[in-house]
């Protein structure tokens, strides 16, 4: 077995890191300080380029290494940094978070210093791109906010534009609002006509990685499933907890698996490489897993600015001046650029429109203290009981989360968390004037959110659907009206209710379930439809007469035809039918595109169900024929040779592949994939003719609560971001074929699976100038 030793400044005692056959590091330290320092060092060992890119993107320092084309992004990112008092910021997370983060960053910097001393250790991207990794400040971690998930600014603006151009009836076709019924009310004083179409351009520059911009809408790719089963519903009599968070598929993975052990802490699972701790996993006493609970934490404020003085805005009967900050953006290959950043009392100014005497700013709860995405997991990852866990979640800030949990004594539960703004006189569905009439009044008490523990049915599941219980007063304690469609959760509920005796392996299969509930709803419409013409007969033979079970399997010809038909032909035709009486004929196609953008990763299945009654035999026949013609163009003339996986494939590319030339390690795949954005095994994809998977499970986990070594997990494409590592892409095939591997936990089992041993020892020189050293 390979053993590598490092001398690491800052350590107080040796730390042992055992890397198992799947690339998961198991860290054993004598103190929490040493543990988190070692976690940072090890994260950098596996993911240094990813870490550096994350930091540069978040702080607005991309132009420094990539040139002037990134100046606009850097300015946008700087607008959305946390700029508050750092003492208040650290205190908001609870005891130990600052110390944990400082140790973690010291570990990253120790590895950066080692790469400076031994340049051959640095990942090859740095040499190919011609720059070196940078040192971190501990404050970088909580100051960076723009990489997290946030809601519902994009829906506010999309809703405002649809109302402005096409009216409320068209808006009802764009997205269902829940809980229903919910009547839209345009806030008094809001002039929809003044909102420009590009009002969120700067916001999107800040919150979408520039190398991913334009690929697909961010929110369409984010989601997640989780569920927890009581002992009465499992084969072993132990609880099971399953979680598969959904994000854009990336290379390397968004998630990093690790096992962190020190006195009083023994936690394993996944976090993000740039953050200390673990956010999804278990600690030997409680298992926990999260999905998005889409709390509305954002608002667009619309200001009337002073004629001739566009940096003054009307507020409270007078005029207020925007605060202006000038920052210098370094630019590779050119002079630095002075960037002017403007802020109102509500937040960063994202658009100025002096010709209309208007300006626009974003108010975001996630810019406040204690709201760095996922950093709050430090407060719960060491919880020793269900009550301690739910108490810790009261501090959680952002993003909004559905946490499910389970303990070895059989307790299961659900605890949603996230700061919910109090909007006393509006519901957050639309932008508001910034003149003082629409102000937040703090945040709702976290204990007013609903919770559930040990339900009689023996299971709990969430999948971003509207899960407020009947009677919850969303009109007065508004969480949001913008939820995800219920298809994934409905399918999970159907499966979990079907039988007892669940196993971890069955949960993995359910995480990769490709049954399409929209397909089930559509197929009955084909009953009795005449087969007029060869193409329609082909379609009916595959979808109606061939016994297709509505599963979007990669090898299914029916699945390929259904997805081509449903998304590319049936849905647009139904929208045209519904919009035709609502909009002028010459704007019909524009309206169709507005309510269902062609780049959308998936539509709103709730809207589709409302449209199905418009599906006349003539419309069905026409669109089926069009879909078969499209399939012939894409897949060839023989339907027997069609398969969904031929079109729908996972093809992972390094975020800077275009800059890295011909390096073979910048691309993985393509490989065939089943599913869609509507299935539990979520694989949303880019529009025709691409069909490439754009989002899905960033990792998958099933915890056997109490028999911890029997837990199962998957990360993709591998644990390491360094192409020289054996764990760079070793999990890609297993991920793509829906497999899992053991998440081993006990020291005995870890030792059995260990393939590499690292020893981090205190450096002989512990002064600031000390540098880590390596020996094998």
């Amino acid at each position: 077995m390979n053993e590598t030793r490092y001398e690491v400044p800052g350590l107080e005692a040796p730390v042992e890191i055992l890397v198992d056959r799947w690339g998961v590091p198991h860290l054993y330290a004598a103190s929490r300080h040493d543990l988190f320092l070692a976690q940072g060092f090890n994260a950098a060992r596996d993911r240094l380029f990813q870490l550096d890119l994350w930091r540069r993107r978040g702080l607005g320092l991309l132009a420094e290494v990539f040139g002037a084309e990134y100046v606009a992004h850097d300015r946008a990112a700087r607008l959305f940094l946390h700029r508050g008092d750092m003492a208040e910021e650290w205190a908001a997370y609870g005891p130990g978070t600052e110390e944990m983060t400082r140790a973690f960053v010291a570990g990253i910097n120790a590895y950066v210093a080692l790469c400076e001393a031994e340049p051959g250790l640095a990942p090859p991207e740095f040499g190919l791109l011609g720059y070196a990794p940078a040192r971190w400040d501990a404050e970088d971690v909580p100051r960076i906010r723009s990489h997290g998930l946030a809601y519902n600014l994009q829906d506010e603006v999309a809703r405002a534009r649809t109302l402005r151009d096409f009216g409320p009836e068209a808006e009802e076709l764009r997205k269902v609002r829940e809980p229903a019924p919910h009547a839209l009310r345009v806030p008094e004083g809001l002039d929809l006509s003044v909102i420009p179409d590009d009002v969120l351009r700067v916001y999107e520059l800040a919150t979408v990685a520039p190398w991913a911009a334009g690929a697909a809408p961010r929110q369409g790719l984010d989601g997640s499933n989780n569920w927890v089963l009581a002992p009465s519903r499992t084969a072993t009599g132990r609880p099971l907890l399953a979680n598969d968070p959904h994000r854009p598929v990336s290379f390397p993975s968004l998630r990093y698996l690790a096992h962190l052990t020190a006195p009083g802490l023994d936690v394993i699972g996944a976090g993000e490489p740039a953050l200390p701790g673990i956010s999804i996993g278990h600690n030997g006493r409680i298992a926990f897993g999260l999905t998005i609970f889409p709390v509305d934490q954002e608002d667009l404020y619309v200001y009337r600015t002073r004629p001739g003085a566009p940096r003054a805005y009307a507020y409270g009967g007078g005029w207020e001046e925007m605060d202006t900050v000038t920052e210098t953006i370094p630019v590779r290959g050119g002079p630095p650029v002075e960037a002017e950043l403007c802020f109102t009392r509500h937040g960063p100014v994202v658009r100025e429109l002096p010709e209309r005497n208007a300006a626009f700013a974003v108010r975001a709860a996630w810019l406040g203290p204690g709201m760095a995405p996922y950093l709050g997991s430090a407060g719960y990852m060491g919880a020793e009981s269900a009550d301690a866990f739910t108490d810790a979640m009261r501090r959680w800030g952002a993003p909004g989360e559905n946490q499910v949990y389970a303990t070895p004594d059989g307790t299961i539960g659900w605890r949603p968390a996230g700061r919910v703004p109090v909007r006393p006189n509006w519901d957050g569905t639309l932008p508001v004037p910034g003149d003082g009439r629409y102000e937040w009044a703090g945040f709702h008490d976290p204990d007013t959110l609903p919770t559930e523990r040990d339900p009689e049915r023996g299971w709990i599941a969430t999948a971003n659907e509207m899960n407020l219980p009947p009677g919850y007063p969303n009109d007065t304690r508004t969480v949001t009206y913008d939820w995800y469609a219920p298809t994934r959760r409905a399918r999970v509920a159907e499966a979990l209710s079907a039988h007892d005796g669940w196993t971890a392996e069955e949960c993995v299969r359910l995480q990769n379930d490709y049954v399409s509930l929209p397909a089930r709803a559509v197929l009955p419409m084909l009953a009795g439809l005449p087969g007029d013409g060869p193409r329609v007969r082909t379609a009916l033979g595959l979808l109606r007469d061939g016994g297709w079970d509505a599963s979007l399997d990669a090898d299914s010809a029916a699945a390929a035809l259904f997805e081509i038909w449903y998304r590319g032909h049936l849905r647009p035709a139904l929208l045209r039918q519904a919009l035709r009486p609502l909009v002028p004929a010459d704007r019909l196609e524009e309206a169709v595109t507005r309510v269902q953008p062609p780049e959308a990763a998936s539509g709103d299945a709730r809207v589709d169900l409302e449209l199905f009654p418009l599906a006349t035999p003539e419309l069905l026949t026409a669109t089926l024929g069009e879909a078969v013609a499209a399939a012939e163009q894409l897949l060839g003339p023989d339907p027997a040779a069609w398969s969904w996986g031929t079109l729908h494939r996972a093809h992972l590319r390094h975020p800077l592949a275009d800059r890295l030339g011909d390096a073979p390690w910048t691309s993985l795949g393509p490989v065939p994939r089943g599913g869609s954005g509507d299935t539990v095994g979520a694989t949303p994809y880019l529009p025709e003719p691409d069909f490439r998977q754009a989002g899905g499970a960033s990792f998958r986990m099933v915890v056997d609560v109490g028999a911890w070594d029997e837990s199962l997990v998957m990360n993709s494409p591998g644990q390491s971001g360094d192409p020289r590592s054996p764990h760079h892409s070793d999990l890609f095939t297993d991920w793509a074929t829906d497999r899992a591997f053991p998440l081993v936990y006990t020291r005995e089992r870890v030792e059995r699976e260990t393939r590499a041993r690292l020893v981090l020892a205190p450096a002989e020189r512990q002064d600031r100038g000390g540098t880590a050293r390596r020996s094998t």
Side-chain angles (χ1 to χ4, degrees), residues 164-177:
R164 180 195 69 193
D165 294 343
F166 301 111
E169 294 87 354
E171 167 58 24
E172 299 301 319
L173 297 171
R174 189 188 66 84
K175 186 173 182 180
V176 171
R177 296 182 305 284

Side-chain angles (χ1 to χ4, degrees), residues 453-769:
R453 184 176 287 186
D454 295 330
E456 186 176 346
R457 65 181 174 277
W459 59 267
I460 300 169
T462 80
N464 323 115
E465 81 289 357
M466 203 295 291
N467 58 353
L468 300 175
Y472 179 85
N474 201 54
D475 54 341
T476 57
R477 295 205 303 266
T478 306
V479 173
T480 189
Y481 286 95
D482 291 308
W483 305 82
Y484 288 69
T487 50
R488 285 182 286 110
R489 200 274 181 181
R491 174 60 180 159
V492 170
E494 175 187 89
L496 296 183
S497 301
H499 70 88
D500 296 332
W502 279 82
T503 66
E505 291 77 11
E506 285 180 299
C507 285
V508 171
R509 287 196 289 273
L510 182 54
Q511 288 176 329
N512 296 290
D513 181 270
Y514 297 136
V515 171
S516 167
L517 295 193
R520 278 192 185 170
V522 169
L523 293 179
M525 298 192 306
L526 303 182
L529 194 69
D532 296 334
R535 283 177 170 155
V536 175
R537 287 194 292 274
T538 294
L540 294 176
L542 286 172
L543 300 178
R544 185 187 68 187
D545 304 330
W548 182 48
D549 61 0
S551 185
L552 303 178
D553 299 322
D555 60 358
S556 170
L561 178 60
F562 176 78
E563 285 297 297
I564 293 169
W565 175 51
Y566 176 51
R567 297 184 191 281
H569 301 273
L570 177 61
R571 178 183 285 153
L574 292 171
L575 286 171
R576 289 187 193 97
Q577 289 282 80
L579 286 165
R580 193 166 281 116
L582 304 178
V583 302
D586 62 347
R587 301 194 71 186
L588 178 60
E589 293 306 313
E590 180 188 355
V592 170
T593 300
R594 182 72 57 81
V595 301
Q596 181 58 71
E599 72 276 12
S602 61
D604 191 332
R606 298 164 295 185
V607 172
D608 296 341
L609 290 171
E610 295 178 3
L611 294 175
F612 287 165
L614 300 177
T616 64
E618 293 77 16
L619 182 146
L620 293 171
T621 299
T623 55
L624 284 170
E626 293 167 2
V628 171
E632 290 171 346
Q633 288 292 316
L634 292 163
L635 294 167
D638 181 8
W642 297 352
S643 71
W644 177 220
T646 301
L647 294 176
H648 183 40
R649 301 184 293 175
H651 186 186
L652 306 188
R653 299 187 76 234
H654 190 287
L656 298 181
D658 292 341
R659 289 177 170 266
L660 292 169
D662 298 326
W665 42 264
T666 62
S667 176
L668 283 175
V671 293
R673 297 289 282 143
S676 74
D678 296 318
T679 57
V680 176
T683 57
Y685 54 86
L686 301 181
E688 185 178 326
D690 193 328
F691 294 102
R692 175 165 44 92
Q693 181 181 351
S698 55
F699 97 111
R700 301 189 294 264
M701 175 189 74
V702 179
V703 180
D704 190 330
V705 179
W708 308 109
D709 285 336
E710 304 306 310
S711 302
L712 299 171
V713 73
M714 176 50 63
N715 199 12
S716 169
Q719 279 281 96
S720 179
D722 190 326
R724 300 165 300 187
S725 167
H727 301 297
H728 177 247
S729 56
D730 56 324
L731 300 175
F732 180 59
T733 299
D734 284 349
W735 169 81
T737 52
D738 303 335
R739 299 175 187 168
F741 63 84
L743 184 64
V744 295
Y745 181 68
T746 63
R747 182 67 186 248
E748 178 185 4
R749 184 68 189 278
V750 170
E751 291 276 4
R752 216 185 317 156
E753 304 294 354
T754 294
R755 295 297 180 272
R757 188 182 304 268
L758 287 66
V759 177
L760 278 52
E764 293 181 8
R765 289 183 60 203
Q766 291 286 9
D767 58 276
R768 185 174 178 83

Side-chain angles (χ1 to χ4, degrees), residues 13-27:
V15 177
E16 192 174 23
I17 303 177
L18 306 182
V19 181
D20 68 27
R21 68 172 69 214
W22 303 281
V24 179
H26 303 260
L27 285 69

Side-chain angles (χ1 to χ4, degrees), residues 243-480:
N243 193 191
D244 56 304
H246 306 157
R247 295 288 289 273
V249 291
S250 59
F251 183 22
S253 173
L254 170 71
R255 311 286 179 184
Y256 186 70
L257 295 167
H259 182 187
L260 309 176
T261 301
L265 184 67
D266 192 8
V267 62
I268 189 170
E272 296 187 12
L275 300 178
I278 298 296
S279 56
I280 304 168
H282 74 80
N283 62 17
R285 295 179 176 88
I286 187 168
F288 41 88
L290 55 82
T291 69
I292 287 296
F293 182 66
V295 177
D296 179 359
Q297 294 186 328
E298 300 175 313
D299 279 308
L300 182 73
Y301 279 82
V302 180
Y303 303 96
R304 179 170 60 90
T305 57
R306 193 171 189 168
R311 295 288 169 80
Y313 59 96
Y315 189 84
W319 299 96
E320 285 196 4
E321 289 289 331
M322 297 177 188
D323 294 325
T324 302
V325 176
T326 300
E327 296 193 352
T328 301
I329 299 175
V331 180
R332 183 173 185 170
V337 173
E338 296 295 307
E340 198 170 57
L341 312 177
C342 295
F343 303 85
T344 71
R345 62 167 47 228
H346 299 117
V349 176
V350 294
R351 184 74 159 87
E352 297 179 76
L353 202 64
E355 64 272 23
R356 295 290 304 273
N357 296 320
F360 308 85
V362 172
R363 185 169 195 176
W366 48 270
L367 289 175
M371 299 288 276
Y374 301 104
L375 189 57
S377 60
Y380 66 69
M381 66 179 178
E384 297 188 356
S385 67
D387 288 343
F389 180 81
T390 56
D391 286 346
M393 289 304 301
R394 297 182 77 256
R395 285 184 178 270
W396 185 267
E401 298 290 5
N402 291 292
Q403 282 277 4
V404 295
Y405 58 90
T407 61
D409 67 5
T411 299
I412 65 171
W414 163 63
R415 177 65 154 97
R419 283 187 208 155
V420 181
V422 177
R423 298 178 174 90
N425 57 330
W426 86 105
D427 60 14
T429 56
L430 286 162
V432 290
D435 56 14
R437 285 178 286 177
Y438 299 93
E439 295 295 341
W440 294 0
F443 298 93
H444 289 288
D445 186 324
D447 289 336
T448 63
L449 290 173
T451 62
E452 188 173 30
R453 184 176 287 186
D454 295 330
E456 186 176 346
R457 65 181 174 277
W459 59 267
I460 300 169
T462 80
N464 323 115
E465 81 289 357
M466 203 295 291
N467 58 353
L468 300 175
Y472 179 85
N474 201 54
D475 54 341
T476 57
R477 295 205 303 266
T478 306
V479 173
T480 189

